[in-house]
Amino acid sequence: MKWAVVWLCFFSCSVAIQAKQVHNHVNNICSTWGRQHFKTFDGDVYQFPGLCEYNLAKDCHGSDPKFSVNVKREENDGNIAISYISITINENGFYLNKTHVTENSILVSLPHYSRGVKVEESAFYISFKASRVGITVMWNREDAVMVEVSNNYRNKTCGLCGDFNGVPVYDEFIVNGFKISPIEFGNRHKIHLPNDDCKDPHEDKDESWKSGNVSSSCKNFQTICERAFLSKSWSSCNEQIDPEAYIHACAIDMCACNNSTNDSCVCSTMSEFSRQCSHAGGQPPNWRSQLCGCLDPTGTSRENVRATLVRTST
Ligand SMILES: *[C@@H]1O[C@H](CO)[C@@H](O)[C@H](O)[C@H]1NC(C)=O
Ligand SMILES: *[C@@H]1O[C@H](CO)[C@@H](O)[C@H](O)[C@H]1NC(C)=O
Ligand SMILES: *[C@@H]1O[C@H](CO)[C@@H](O)[C@H](O)[C@H]1NC(C)=O
Ligand SMILES: *[C@@H]1O[C@H](CO)[C@@H](O)[C@H](O)[C@H]1NC(C)=O
Ligand SMILES: *[C@@H]1O[C@H](CO)[C@@H](O)[C@H](O)[C@H]1NC(C)=O
C-alpha cells in the first residue's frame, strides 16, 4: 500500500515537473493583444491602455543592446490595433506596418533576408526572425504581437515585457520597494519621439477596468468567461497554462464592451489563449464557435497564426 502511494507520487510529481518545464518554455514568450493586454516573459498578465510608442522588449545588458522592439497601438473607429512595430537588431533599424517593411528607412520586399534577419509574411501574419541574436517577433497584423527570446536573455531584458528573471511581479512592478501600477509601469517605457505630444494614460476610477479591475457591475462577466475558458474543450490548454489571468482579461474586455459579444472586444483574449496553448503543446478547440460569435471575415486567419506558432516552436 505504501509503495503504491510512493509510485503514485512519483508519477504525479514527474508530471508536475514536466508541466512546469512546459510552463517555463511559454515564459520565453512575451505578448500583447487586444486593446491593452500584456503578458511578460515572467508570466504577469496586466493591462496598459497607452497609445504612444513603447518599448516592448530590449536587451538591457551592457551598453550595446543586441535588440529592441517597440510597438504602437492606434485607435480607428473604436477598434484598437497595433499600427507599427519598430525593431533594432545590432543597430539596424527595421520598421513594420500593416503593408510595408523598411530596413534602415529603405523599403524592402518580402521575404527579406539580410544580415541574419529573416522577415516573412503570409496572408495573416508577419514574422521577423533574427536567429543569431535569438529573437523572433510575430504580428498578426492586427492586435497581437508575440516576442520570443532565447534563454541567454534571462535577467537581461527590459521594457513592457519585463526583466525575464523568472519571478513574476519582481522587479517590474516594484520600484524602490514600492508597488507601482501597470499604468505607471507602462508610462515608464514610453518612447519620446520628436514632435510627438502623445498623452500618457492615467488612472481613472470610473474606468478602472482599464487598469485591470473588474468592478462589481462586471462580476457577471467573470462568470461568463470562467464558464467559457474552463469548459471541457479547453482542458488540454488548462493543463498547460493557468487560465486565470486570461479569464480576468476576458472579463475586462467584456466589461469594457458592455457585454457586446463583439469580435474585437471578446475574441482577442480567447485567440491569445489559443495561441499560447498551441505553443505550449496543448490542443485548443475551435474556440470561435464558443463565447463569441467571432465573425472572422477571413474564416481562417487565427488558425493560420496558430499553425505557424506551432511550427516555429518545434
Ligand atoms: C464591435 O465594436 C466596434 C468598436 O466598438 C464597433 O465599431 C462595431 O460596430 C461592433 N460590431 C458589432 C457587430 O457590434
Ligand atoms: C507604412 O509604411 C510605409 C513605409 O514607411 C509608409 O509609406 C506608409 O504610409 C505606412 N502606412 C501606414 C498606414 O502608416
Ligand atoms: C535571475 O535573477 C533571479 C532573481 O534575482 C535569480 O534567482 C536567478 O538565478 C537569475 N537567473 C540567471 C540565469 O541569472
Ligand atoms: C450598455 O448597454 C446598455 C443596454 O444595451 C445601455 O443602456 C448602456 O447605456 C450601455 N452603457 C455604455 C457605457 O455603453
Ligand atoms: C450579457 O449577455 C449575456 C448573453 O448574451 C447575458 O446572459 C448576460 O446576462 C448579460 N450580462 C449583463 C451584465 O448584461
Side-chain angles (χ1 to χ4, degrees):
M1 189 60 193
K2 239 183 209 164
W3 279 107
V5 172
V6 170
W7 274 107
L8 210 67
C9 172
F10 178 76
F11 277 111
S12 51
C13 294
S14 61
V15 165
I17 288 162
Q18 272 173 12
K20 200 155 192 181
Q21 277 166 351
V22 168
H23 191 66
N24 284 342
H25 175 70
V26 174
N27 284 356
N28 281 24
I29 298 173
C30 162
S31 54
T32 179
W33 72 95
R35 298 174 73 87
Q36 84 280 24
H37 303 297
F38 291 82
K39 176 183 128 2
T40 65
F41 293 123
D42 296 331
D44 288 302
V45 175
Y46 66 93
Q47 279 68 44
F48 175 64
L51 297 177
C52 305
E53 181 175 327
Y54 300 95
N55 179 236
L56 184 60
K58 183 176 174 180
D59 162 27
C60 284
H61 181 74
S63 50
D64 294 323
K66 291 204 174 91
F67 71 83
S68 82
V69 180
N70 295 352
V71 293
K72 171 147 172 48
R73 280 196 160 79
E74 203 167 69
E75 178 160 0
N76 275 318
D77 303 328
N79 207 9
I80 291 185
I82 307 273
S83 52
Y84 65 81
I85 305 178
S86 122
I87 304 175
T88 306
I89 301 287
N90 293 328
E91 301 183 348
N92 285 312
F94 296 85
Y95 166 93
L96 291 66
N97 67 18
K98 271 191 170 184
T99 50
H100 294 79
V101 175
T102 67
E103 177 176 3
N104 297 327
S105 305
I106 296 164
L107 213 54
V108 299
S109 56
L110 301 186
H112 175 66
Y113 307 94
S114 121
R115 290 174 265 212
V117 170
K118 192 161 85 181
V119 193
E120 294 171 316
E121 65 178 340
S122 78
F124 308 110
Y125 64 88
I126 301 177
S127 99
F128 178 102
K129 198 165 194 164
S131 314
R132 261 177 271 154
V133 169
I135 179 170
T136 301
V137 179
M138 294 198 52
W139 178 26
N140 69 352
R141 284 206 183 81
E142 295 168 26
D143 64 309
V145 175
M146 179 205 95
V147 179
E148 182 168 16
V149 294
S150 72
N151 278 322
N152 303 342
Y153 294 107
R154 284 185 180 276
N155 285 357
K156 292 181 184 166
T157 63
C158 59
L160 295 175
C161 286
D163 59 11
F164 198 17
N165 71 351
V167 189
V169 182
Y170 291 86
D171 292 333
E172 291 88 350
F173 299 102
I174 310 273
V175 173
N176 299 329
F178 290 96
K179 191 137 200 258
I180 60 170
S181 71
I183 297 219
E184 208 177 328
F185 174 68
N187 289 337
R188 284 167 175 259
H189 296 287
K190 178 157 105 175
I191 305 294
H192 294 272
L193 302 169
N195 308 321
D196 185 22
D197 60 353
C198 184
K199 299 266 186 307
D200 287 344
H202 53 275
E203 316 276 349
D204 184 339
K205 277 212 182 95
D206 297 333
E207 293 186 307
S208 66
W209 56 268
K210 281 187 177 168
S211 53
N213 299 320
V214 178
S215 62
S216 51
S217 61
C218 291
K219 280 280 191 290
N220 276 355
F221 301 124
Q222 183 85 16
T223 315
I224 295 171
C225 292
E226 253 163 32
R227 226 176 279 143
F229 278 77
L230 298 179
S231 77
K232 211 164 171 211
S233 55
W234 287 94
S235 60
S236 91
C237 297
N238 293 330
E239 280 163 20
Q240 309 290 339
I241 303 170
D242 185 349
E244 196 187 321
Y246 297 91
I247 291 168
H248 188 67
C250 163
I252 292 166
D253 288 343
M254 288 196 79
C255 190
C257 288
N258 199 13
N259 208 19
S260 107
T261 49
N262 185 325
D263 191 40
S264 71
C265 317
V266 180
C267 295
S268 65
T269 292
M270 207 160 245
S271 180
E272 176 66 17
F273 190 58
S274 172
R275 283 187 291 261
Q276 295 287 335
C277 171
S278 297
H279 210 90
Q283 295 265 314
N286 184 0
W287 53 268
R288 270 180 287 122
S289 58
Q290 307 184 350
L291 188 63
C292 37
C294 291
L295 303 164
D296 184 347
T298 59
T300 53
S301 67
R302 290 190 174 84
E303 304 308 323
N304 270 282
V305 169
R306 186 159 91 203
T308 307
L309 287 174
V310 172
R311 259 181 271 121
T312 57
S313 69
T314 49

